[in-house]
Amino acid sequence: MSSYSSHASSPVTAVLGPTNTGKTHLAIERMLGYETGMIGFPLRLLAREVYDRIVKLKGAGQVALITGEEKILPPDPAYYICTVEAMPISKSVDFMAIDEIQLAADAERGHIFTDRLLHARGNQETMLLGAATMVPMVKQLLPKAHIISRPRLSTLSYAGSKKLSRLPRRTAITSFSVDSVYAIAEVVRQQKGGAAVVMGALSPRTRNAQVDMYQSGEVDFMVATDAIGMGLNMDVDHVAFAQTRKFDGRNHRELGAAELAQVAGRAGRHITDGTFGVTGEMLPLDETLVEQIENNTFEPIRRLMWRNPNLDFSSVEALKISLEAPPPTRGLMRVPITIDMQALNMMTADPSILDRAGDENIIRLLWEVAQIPDFRKTIIGEHASILGDIFLFLSGDQAILPAKWIEERIARCDRTDGDLDTLGSRLAHIRTWTYVTQKTGWVENQRQWQAQARQVEDKLSDALHQGLMKQFVDTRSSILLKRLQGRAEAEAEIDAAGDVHVEGEYAGRIEGLHFTKDNRMTNSPPRTVRAAIEKVVGHELRNRASELAACGDDDLKLNEQGEIFWHQSCIAHLVAGRDLLSPAIKLLADESLVGTPRNQIEARLTAFVRHHLETLLAPLITLKNDDSLNGLARGLAFQIVEHGGHIPRANIADTLADMDQPARAGLRKLGLRFGTYDIFMPALLKPNPARALAMLWSYANNRKAAEDLALSPAPGLTSCARHKDLPDGFYRSLGFRVYGKRAIRLDMLERLADLIRKAIEANDKSNEFEITADMVSLMGCSHEEMADILKGLGYGAKPKPQEATSPPSSENAPDDSEVNISEAEQYEETQPPLVTLLWYPKKRATRRPNPKQKASHQKAAGKKPSGNKNKQHADKGRFKSSAHKKPEKKMDPNSPFAVLQSLKDNNK
């Protein structure tokens, strides 16, 4: 295969073996032994780590860093540290090395590694680093290569399955989806104090910061994807697999034995042994698989991905054909369609792009644009759309990306607000523009745009690191856990404000009778911490219970929402009891407060609430407990109390008809008013007792008192618009009646009754009245709403007769026969005239007397039953209207026919 080599005489050495064999360290030492050299790494993160290391040894002027997103190029560097894709293989150097050559079998990136394996050569030495599974392919493709097998420096053994809570310190937990990584990190935070997060989607700056946090001992656990499997040097003692299945960009699949070994091999550093196992819901690994990982014996790689490096740029079609050229030798497999090939196909489907691709240079540019990585991992159509815009600018008259266009896209990413996913998305976007600004000749003032894109990326990387720390690291718990290592007990104390501290670290606060754990404190603290908290909190709660049971009423407060406060802390609230005036108590206390102390508190609060309500609702309680009442008065008092201090008069008409005046007088002395519409206690209409009764009603009906009272009429209002979310019963408990869209306080309705009575008395012709301005003003409503109120109070209405008008001349007057049904139909289609209504009290339903009782009363009075007939005729004379006139049939005011007939009758 010497024909593939640029330096056929350069010796090739393949150093192959498992992880922790010192391969990378060996390559760096060999390179520094030459005057010039270059190493290609699989990850930008790893390249940056090695670059920093060599800079410390040789100085910044001697080392260049070249990746797709970052270039640090001194004037005359001796050593080049690169990602494999960004290696300038045309550069002449003495030493050349490629790391992780087993990635040549990867479906997406493999063809790049294969190309470097076949073509990248140093003038004096070439070194290939990778897994032992590459031995057959190296022998086949590079028969002259010298293969060196290096054994692992430490032992790797299987530790079985462990719960997350049982994992040892310095453990890396691996999973293969962002959601799973975050979920596991949260559990570790709760149980262990915190975890570092390492994923391939993070920027190198963020990943370095997370790794540094782990390496410094700030946290003892790491949750990572398989990104830790390549070259990241960390002090990991144990690797726990929470998943062994991943999405590789094409399919969901199980990781192979060699891939699992690459990750598990991170456990153990240098000569320190390491272990691996499973955790969470993972089943134990198969014995055969365990043996393969422990002994590093895997199926060898038989094929490497390949793509034609000699592309034809004479036309777009020629380019596509050359990309699909078959491999030149056995052992190579043509790569399946990759993202850059998909992007090329989608861009050339656009006629405006295809028209531009007319010469070789433009087609080369088109292919270079198509190879911009999809850092955002979006759908290919969206990625190709952005690439198409870039190509159209670069192939246009200016042949450069407009400064304003680049500035707008960088500015969109220059924000650090949002959650972890939002920050990660912006970071992926800015990496695209960081990559673009690294391309020579694509932007003006290249250094300026590179610096601006790098600044935004660094800002987002730092924000993401801080977000990950805030989300998944509990600093206090982490410090506390380190202090308690090896100790059987922990010291806890409570200060005057109720703050609980364990070993000097804030653990929570006792408010009232409840301990609230600090949300930054672990949800599942170690047994020593838990025991210390339970001990000190339990003792404090028992002391508070004793103090509360002996306190006076002045130390307690019941607000109008039904919450009971003690020392400015809510300790209980009311709930539905056996009746309206006897609510129950729900104590807001820790479950640890049980037995006698809890019973004493409940008894004390029950007595306080009873006394408070007896004071606030004194008239009602007095009425309830008055033993002097008997008979009908006792029954009426019971109904008043049961209904919260008032009841509609119509509901107890029979009782009132049979009640004598002395019984009524006794009830009046107790504060009861016999109104026209309601029997009520005016003292209970005051704001405090009224709102207390409303609160009790809400609890008795299993409603939320605080929400109901927030929607209720403000204290002092006597009329208001009815709120749709409040039931009529709630308004009744406040001392209001609901009529249509209005709610009116009971005492205002009695004042309305006085106005109506005066209006009827002023009418010397009938017992009818019109709605007056005083009535509307008193009710605080419109004329239409006033009509709803009167209807609700039991009043009827009829049109007011129109005043007589002069009759029309006989020659113009229509004959009666001409007024037929067609006129009524025509009238029905027109707007009816405005009609003034007269209101009148409807006859109230009364009890039908018992015929036997009626006869006995008449007999006792010496009168015949028929004698009332003449008296009835005589009584009719007392009405304002004629006694002999036949009563008119009442008219329906809503019927246009009836209104028309009324007008006719009045005009006759």
Side-chain angles (χ1 to χ4, degrees), residues 372-566:
I372 296 175
D374 181 15
F375 296 105
R376 300 173 301 156
K377 306 300 180 187
T378 59
I379 57 176
I380 187 61
E382 186 177 344
H383 178 59
S385 176
I386 293 177
L387 301 188
D389 292 339
I390 293 173
F391 172 76
L392 290 174
F393 281 125
L394 295 177
S395 60
D397 295 337
Q398 301 296 324
I400 205 164
L401 295 176
K404 186 176 181 181
W405 189 78
I406 285 286
E407 182 180 17
E408 288 176 352
R409 273 137 191 84
I410 292 177
R412 290 176 187 174
C413 304
D414 193 9
R415 292 174 53 189
T416 57
D417 58 313
D419 57 16
L420 297 179
D421 289 337
T422 302
L423 290 172
S425 176
R426 291 197 194 113
L427 195 51
H429 277 75
I430 195 62
R431 290 180 70 183
T432 299
W433 305 118
T434 301
Y435 183 94
V436 167
T437 57
Q438 297 293 329
K439 305 295 284 187
T440 303
W442 283 20
V443 292
E444 289 182 336
N445 302 319
Q446 186 176 18
R447 291 186 179 275
Q448 172 194 335
W449 291 118
Q450 287 174 348
Q452 189 168 339
R454 171 67 56 210
Q455 182 182 11
V456 173
E457 181 179 337
D458 289 348
K459 186 191 297 186
L460 288 170
S461 296
D462 293 342
L464 183 56
H465 170 62
Q466 292 300 322
L468 290 169
M469 284 189 63
K470 183 178 180 181
Q471 182 76 26
F472 302 122
V473 178
D474 185 347
T475 306
R476 292 180 176 180
S477 295
S478 182
I479 294 173
L480 179 59
L481 292 172
K482 286 179 172 56
R483 287 180 184 171
L484 292 175
Q485 285 180 15
R487 292 175 51 183
E489 292 186 1
E491 293 293 330
E493 59 183 3
I494 301 176
D495 61 19
D499 291 346
V500 179
H501 294 82
V502 179
E503 295 292 329
E505 294 297 324
Y506 178 72
R509 169 176 291 183
I510 299 178
E511 294 183 359
L513 302 173
H514 181 69
F515 172 65
T516 303
K517 192 185 303 179
D518 180 28
N519 56 12
R520 292 167 294 183
M521 189 71 179
T522 172
N523 286 342
S524 300
R527 187 177 303 170
T528 51
V529 176
R530 200 161 53 240
I533 292 174
E534 290 174 356
K535 180 179 178 180
V536 71
V537 169
H539 183 264
E540 176 66 16
L541 290 178
R542 287 190 293 273
N543 288 342
R544 292 190 178 195
S546 299
E547 182 184 352
L548 175 56
C551 76
D553 283 355
D554 292 341
D555 295 326
L556 298 170
K557 178 185 178 182
L558 175 65
N559 66 14
E560 69 173 20
Q561 285 80 35
E563 298 169 326
I564 303 174
F565 283 80
W566 178 61

Side-chain angles (χ1 to χ4, degrees), residues 67-304:
T67 70
E69 303 161 65
E70 187 174 14
K71 287 182 181 178
I72 302 176
L73 280 171
D76 188 23
Y79 305 105
Y80 293 83
I81 311 302
C82 318
T83 52
V84 171
E85 286 87 347
M87 291 175 71
I89 57 176
S90 61
K91 183 76 65 175
S92 177
V93 292
D94 295 333
F95 176 86
M96 181 80 71
I98 311 297
D99 193 22
E100 306 291 0
I101 61 169
Q102 73 275 7
L103 287 178
D106 181 72
E108 191 64 42
R109 302 173 66 199
H111 63 282
I112 303 292
F113 284 82
T114 301
D115 181 73
R116 303 298 183 256
L117 183 148
L118 296 175
H119 302 125
R121 295 291 181 268
N123 295 331
Q124 299 186 41
E125 183 179 356
T126 300
M127 184 173 284
L128 306 176
L129 314 174
T133 53
M134 282 293 291
V135 170
M137 293 308 304
V138 171
K139 288 181 176 180
Q140 179 180 338
L141 298 175
L142 305 172
K144 294 183 179 181
H146 176 53
I147 298 176
I148 299 176
S149 295
R150 292 177 67 96
R152 182 179 168 88
L153 298 176
S154 61
T155 301
L156 182 65
S157 57
Y158 181 58
S161 177
K162 294 180 184 291
K163 294 181 179 179
L164 282 171
S165 59
R166 302 277 183 167
L167 291 174
R169 295 174 61 249
R170 314 311 293 169
T171 290
I173 306 165
T174 60
S175 189
F176 302 104
S177 71
V178 174
D179 291 342
S180 177
V181 167
Y182 284 168
I184 294 171
E186 174 61 21
V187 174
V188 174
R189 184 196 70 80
Q190 294 176 4
Q191 297 182 350
K192 303 292 187 178
V197 172
V198 175
M199 299 184 293
L202 301 181
S203 69
R205 186 182 180 95
T206 304
R207 276 182 284 180
N208 280 340
Q210 290 287 302
V211 170
D212 289 346
M213 184 173 65
Y214 174 83
Q215 286 294 94
S216 68
E218 187 174 347
V219 294
D220 286 327
F221 296 86
M222 174 183 294
V223 185
T225 62
D226 52 352
I228 66 168
M230 292 185 184
L232 288 175
N233 295 314
M234 297 171 293
D235 297 324
V236 176
D237 295 336
H238 180 74
V239 171
F241 290 98
Q243 284 182 334
T244 56
R245 186 178 178 83
K246 66 174 286 186
F247 180 70
D248 61 6
R250 298 175 184 272
N251 301 294
H252 287 278
R253 64 175 180 83
E254 290 288 335
L255 269 69
E259 293 173 305
L260 291 173
Q262 186 77 23
V263 177
R266 291 296 103 193
R269 181 80 183 274
H270 196 50
I271 60 173
T272 303
D273 294 340
T275 59
F276 68 97
V278 296
T279 188
E281 298 179 359
M282 273 290 300
L283 296 175
L285 298 180
D286 181 74
E287 291 183 5
T288 303
L289 178 59
V290 170
E291 185 178 348
Q292 286 180 291
I293 296 174
E294 289 180 336
N295 299 324
N296 197 46
T297 54
F298 310 107
E299 286 293 323
I301 294 174
R302 298 297 184 185
R303 286 186 179 181
L304 303 183

Side-chain angles (χ1 to χ4, degrees), residues 60 63 307 364 368 445 465 484 786:
V63 192
R307 187 164 72 185
R364 285 182 182 275
E368 189 176 4
N445 302 319
H465 170 62
L484 292 175
M786 188 68 212

